[in-house]
Amino acid sequence: MSDRLREERVTKLQKISENGIEPYGRCFERTATLGELRDQFDEEKDGQTVRVAGRITALRPHGKAVFLDVQDQTSKLQVYLKLNKVGEEQFTIVKLLDLGDIIGIRGQLTKTRTGELTVFADEFCILSKSLRPLPEKWHGLKDVETRYRQRYLDLQCNPEVMATFMARAAIISSIRRYLDDRCFVEVETPMMQPIAGGAAAKPFITHHNTLDLDLYLRIAPELYLKRLLVGGFDKVYEINRNFRNEGISTRHNPEFTMIEVYEAYADYNVMMDMTEKIIVEASTKAIGTLQVEYGEVELDFTPPWPRRTYADLLDEYAGVDMFDEEGLRKKVTEIGRDPAGLSVGKLAEEVFEHAVEQHLIQPTFVTDFPADICPLAKRSKADPRIAERFETFVSTIELCNGYSELNDPVEQERQFKIQAERDPDGNKNIDTDYVTALEHGMPPAGGLGIGIDRLVMLLTNSTTIRDVILFPLLKPEKV
């Protein structure tokens, strides 16, 4: 934006003030949103007096009259300002209006001869004078970096962006309503924790000055939510912000949103059923269909979704047994990774990520993982080498993760010690209080986590996680 354009607007701002008009107005009571007026208009209401407000997106002067378009979150509406209607004093102010200004209007809602729904103004007021112009009309705001840095402009200029975030809100609302209707209790757990637990990830570290205590931004709320099961809650959930000090990609942002759900006396089969129902409900209520375009593929969320075991998928796509250590090491070497020091489960995970995930396009539950990569999950009664765990994949994206929760305190402590020994960053901290909680008795339970950002990506055909997070983390701008 040139300094000249801003100076011109500043001059108009001064003139508005000189006319005794406040350029940054106060509360303005609206009859309805613009979208509601459009939806509710009928011939019987033609000529009704309304009060509307919005940002000016178009100005079309016609001598002693001006047509302009105003826009709010819901829609756009034409306004007609005429000299002999609003009066000389107000019409003088019309000449000081610019694209981007926010105004309030009182007038009659009717249709023009061409059928355009229009407010014929009796009076208007300025609610906020814009000193910077909107991006140029025809090209809009296309630069990706600018869109993310100045999301407020992105939302104004690109209706599909507003639609994505409205869909996000509807998806979260649907999930919350589904769980509330089934007597789950929404809770809040600490975002600053003395031990980073509940997942294998690198945490952000902060410091509390008064206590002289290092704390971690949570990587997951899991261990606190399961403490609540010990405390007597049967069904809990949290829509939570998590933080992981790791890479940024189309599927990863250091700060992200998940929902975690825990139900006493359930297992991973119950949680798979619940996952399917939650996502089907969200897609139906927020998007209106179970057939969703994602890139060049049509995803079909119609239940039931296939359930495939980890071992069967490894055999089908990699030709290797899940517990064949020698064969897995050979496969890991073939894909260019170093197998040294990796457990059998970690070797299987490397091969799975390389050879299997690319084939998981339609919604699929992958079940029965190698136990040694699942320190918080209950082992299979039939084969203790297998954990009762599932992940849900859609379009190669890991969307959900769930377990039959491990509630044996002795085994949990043993798993924590193994995990600490294997930690690549040398983190030897063990959440002994969680083990103590288990020693008081936690009922058998099922738990699940759904990545909200990734779910929104899939249901809104967004190819990067930055498109579904209002303010994604970015590098500082170069000066």
Side-chain angles (χ1 to χ4, degrees), residues 13-34:
L13 173 69
Q14 293 169 344
K15 289 181 178 178
I16 291 169
S17 297
E18 289 169 1
N19 278 274
I21 295 171
E22 189 176 13
Y24 297 100
R26 303 179 186 275
C27 176
F28 185 87
E29 185 177 351
R30 296 181 292 173
T31 305
T33 67
L34 303 183

Side-chain angles (χ1 to χ4, degrees), residues 201-205 217 219 243-247 253-256:
K202 189 173 183 179
F204 287 93
I205 302 174
L217 296 184
I219 56 176
F243 306 84
R244 299 184 183 178
N245 196 356
E246 298 172 345
N253 192 67
E255 178 182 2
F256 61 98

Side-chain angles (χ1 to χ4, degrees), residues 248-253 457 462-466:
I248 296 175
S249 73
T250 57
R251 300 181 183 182
H252 298 88
N253 192 67
M457 284 176 62
S462 300
T463 57
T464 171
I465 198 168
R466 292 183 174 189

Side-chain angles (χ1 to χ4, degrees), residues 415-426:
Q415 290 297 325
F416 277 161
K417 289 177 179 177
I418 294 171
Q419 189 180 28
E421 288 302 318
R422 292 176 178 172
D423 191 288
D425 297 317

Side-chain angles (χ1 to χ4, degrees), residues 137-325:
K137 177 180 178 181
W138 300 112
H139 297 97
L141 187 64
K142 302 299 181 186
D143 180 73
V144 172
E145 190 78 5
T146 303
R147 285 182 51 225
Y148 297 146
R149 288 191 189 281
Q150 296 181 291
R151 183 69 87 183
Y152 44 89
L153 293 181
D154 191 24
L155 291 164
Q156 288 180 36
C157 298
N158 298 317
E160 68 278 8
V161 175
M162 176 67 78
T164 292
F165 287 102
M166 293 298 290
R168 179 186 176 110
I171 289 166
I172 294 172
S173 177
S174 168
I175 294 172
R176 180 176 273 120
R177 186 165 53 250
Y178 177 92
L179 293 168
D180 290 347
D181 287 347
R182 287 155 182 81
C183 301
F184 281 82
V185 179
E186 184 172 7
V187 297
E188 295 175 331
T189 62
M191 296 178 72
M192 292 192 298
Q193 304 177 354
I195 295 175
K202 189 173 183 179
F204 287 93
I205 302 174
T206 187
H207 186 80
H208 190 284
N209 291 333
T210 301
L211 297 179
D212 191 22
L213 176 67
D214 282 342
L215 294 167
Y216 302 91
L217 296 184
R218 71 174 170 206
I219 56 176
E222 177 169 348
L223 301 186
Y224 283 90
L225 289 169
K226 288 193 288 192
R227 282 174 169 91
L228 297 179
L229 298 184
V230 175
F233 283 93
D234 283 347
K235 297 179 177 182
V236 295
Y237 74 94
E238 182 174 10
I239 299 175
N240 55 81
R241 304 291 286 179
N242 294 329
F243 306 84
R244 299 184 183 178
N245 196 356
E246 298 172 345
I248 296 175
S249 73
T250 57
R251 300 181 183 182
H252 298 88
N253 192 67
E255 178 182 2
F256 61 98
T257 303
M258 288 190 68
I259 181 168
E260 292 207 11
V261 183
Y262 293 87
E263 180 175 358
Y265 313 109
D267 67 2
Y268 76 141
N269 291 302
V270 174
M271 305 320 281
M272 276 189 275
D273 292 342
M274 183 184 299
T275 298
E276 192 173 74
K277 290 173 183 175
I278 284 174
I279 294 175
V280 165
E281 181 105 344
S283 183
T284 303
K285 294 291 177 63
I287 310 301
T289 180
L290 295 178
Q291 288 72 46
V292 177
E293 295 294 328
Y294 189 72
E296 298 179 355
V297 178
E298 182 178 87
L299 301 174
D300 188 355
F301 288 93
T302 303
W305 305 343
R307 300 183 183 189
R308 302 289 309 280
T309 68
Y310 202 96
D312 283 350
L313 289 167
L314 271 178
D315 180 58
E316 180 177 345
Y317 293 110
V320 65
D321 186 273
M322 187 166 77
F323 299 112
D324 178 5
E325 184 170 355

Side-chain angles (χ1 to χ4, degrees), residues 295-362:
E296 298 179 355
V297 178
E298 182 178 87
L299 301 174
D300 188 355
F301 288 93
T302 303
W305 305 343
R307 300 183 183 189
R308 302 289 309 280
T309 68
Y310 202 96
D312 283 350
L313 289 167
L314 271 178
D315 180 58
E316 180 177 345
Y317 293 110
V320 65
D321 186 273
M322 187 166 77
F323 299 112
D324 178 5
E325 184 170 355
E326 184 178 343
L328 290 168
R329 287 190 183 280
K330 183 178 178 181
K331 286 288 184 183
V332 169
T333 301
E334 288 175 0
I335 64 179
R337 304 286 178 83
D338 183 3
L342 296 182
S343 67
V344 174
K346 279 293 184 183
L347 292 168
E349 187 176 50
E350 289 280 354
V351 177
F352 190 92
E353 289 176 355
H354 178 80
V356 179
E357 288 183 6
Q358 61 186 300
H359 300 285
L360 303 176
I361 306 301
Q362 294 300 329

Side-chain angles (χ1 to χ4, degrees), residues 83-113:
L83 171 61
N84 63 5
K85 194 74 171 174
V86 300
E88 183 73 40
E89 183 177 340
Q90 279 216 317
F91 199 76
T92 301
I93 303 302
V94 171
K95 299 174 184 178
L96 302 176
L97 296 178
D98 289 298
L99 298 183
D101 291 353
I102 299 172
I103 64 172
I105 307 103
R106 183 181 66 82
Q108 286 73 51
L109 183 66
T110 187
K111 285 187 176 180
T112 64
R113 293 176 183 174

Side-chain angles (χ1 to χ4, degrees), residues 384-403:
R385 297 176 302 170
I386 293 173
E388 293 188 354
R389 174 185 176 183
F390 73 88
E391 286 185 352
T392 310
F393 283 86
V394 185
S395 192
T396 77
I397 295 174
E398 177 202 334
L399 179 61
C400 311
N401 188 19
Y403 309 147

